[in-house]
Amino acid sequence: ATSNIIWIWISISINTRKVEELVAILHNICMLLIFIYITTLLIVNCMFTGSTSSSMSLNTKDATILLLKKQIRECFDCWTEAWNNGDIDGYLDGYLDSPETRYVSGKKVIRGKQNIAEQFKARGSPKGILSLTEFEVELMMAAEAEAGSDSSCRDALCFGQYKLIDGDENHFGCFTVHLRQVLQEEEENEGGGGGVYRWKMVSDHSS
């Protein structure tokens, strides 16, 4: 009887150890599955966050480009309107007040806004109705802007065709204009502080 009891106790001990080993194995498997699950969630979250951030950056850049092109077109519309209203000073306001500003027409090159103004005013008041077509803008973005870390743009190249109707005479041609954003002080600001960036022509080539 005593030997039977001993064998029963040994059997129970062996089975208990097997159960404990099985429990330990199941525990390790559960921990591994939890680790895989958490790791997967983190990877997916990082991918989603990165994709969202990239998309937002792209959308911001696209919006900035559209805004800049809209501003440039509005400048040309303003200068064209000034011409059509016979406002030579309003038209010349589009040129940067600098001795380096360049105007090219035919085989003639004129440098400096003052000389450009004298050339235009020598012809008298603007005549005819001026209109622009096939208008294109190429923004000269900085390297940082191309990489998406900056949205600044200080220069732009503009191409288009012009049509000037003056009575029975019609003049057609093309133009290539280099624009630059320059900081100008606002006269209306009290104390003379502050200013705004405005697009100005630094090179105007018409043919």
Side-chain angles (χ1 to χ4, degrees):
T2 301
S3 61
N4 290 337
I5 292 173
I6 292 173
W7 279 111
I8 292 173
W9 182 81
I10 293 173
S11 298
I12 292 174
S13 298
I14 294 173
N15 291 333
T16 300
R17 282 196 298 272
K18 289 182 178 180
V19 170
E20 290 175 349
E21 291 175 356
L22 179 61
V23 170
I25 292 173
L26 292 175
H27 177 267
N28 291 335
I29 293 174
C30 289
M31 294 301 294
L32 179 61
L33 291 175
I34 292 173
F35 174 77
I36 294 174
Y37 175 74
I38 293 175
T39 302
T40 303
L41 286 179
L42 290 174
I43 293 174
V44 171
N45 182 65
C46 290
M47 293 175 61
F48 178 77
T49 302
S51 176
T52 302
S53 176
S54 177
S55 177
M56 290 178 63
S57 176
L58 180 61
N59 291 337
T60 301
K61 180 181 176 182
D62 289 345
T64 300
I65 290 175
L66 290 175
L67 177 60
L68 291 173
K69 289 185 175 183
K70 179 175 179 293
Q71 290 175 351
I72 290 172
R73 181 66 213 218
E74 289 174 349
C75 288
F76 274 88
D77 289 342
C78 182
W79 302 329
T80 302
E81 182 180 2
W83 178 278
N84 293 335
N85 290 334
D87 180 8
I88 186 63
D89 290 324
Y91 178 79
L92 291 171
D93 183 62
Y95 291 91
L96 179 65
D97 189 3
S98 165
E100 301 300 323
T101 300
R102 179 175 58 238
Y103 174 76
V104 182
S105 181
K107 298 180 179 180
K108 193 171 185 179
V109 180
I110 303 175
R111 296 183 182 275
K113 180 178 179 179
Q114 183 177 350
N115 294 328
I116 295 173
E118 291 176 356
Q119 175 72 16
F120 274 98
K121 290 183 177 181
R123 306 173 186 171
S125 300
K127 298 178 181 179
I129 302 300
L130 178 65
S131 60
L132 307 179
T133 59
E134 304 298 329
F135 191 77
E136 300 175 12
V137 177
E138 180 181 349
L139 298 175
M140 302 167 68
M141 308 293 285
E144 294 79 4
E146 291 291 348
S149 60
D150 185 18
S151 60
S152 62
C153 174
R154 291 291 175 263
D155 293 86
L157 287 178
C158 304
F159 169 82
Q161 297 178 344
Y162 69 86
K163 178 180 180 180
L164 181 62
I165 301 177
D166 184 8
D168 295 333
E169 297 183 3
N170 294 334
H171 303 276
F172 302 89
C174 298
F175 64 88
T176 302
V177 175
H178 178 187
L179 293 181
R180 178 167 296 153
Q181 272 193 329
V182 295
L183 183 63
Q184 291 192 326
E185 292 186 358
E186 293 289 80
E187 295 179 358
E188 58 270 20
N189 286 352
E190 296 183 3
V196 293
Y197 280 99
R198 297 188 184 279
W199 289 102
K200 296 293 182 179
M201 289 182 277
V202 295
S203 180
D204 178 10
H205 185 183
S206 301
S207 60

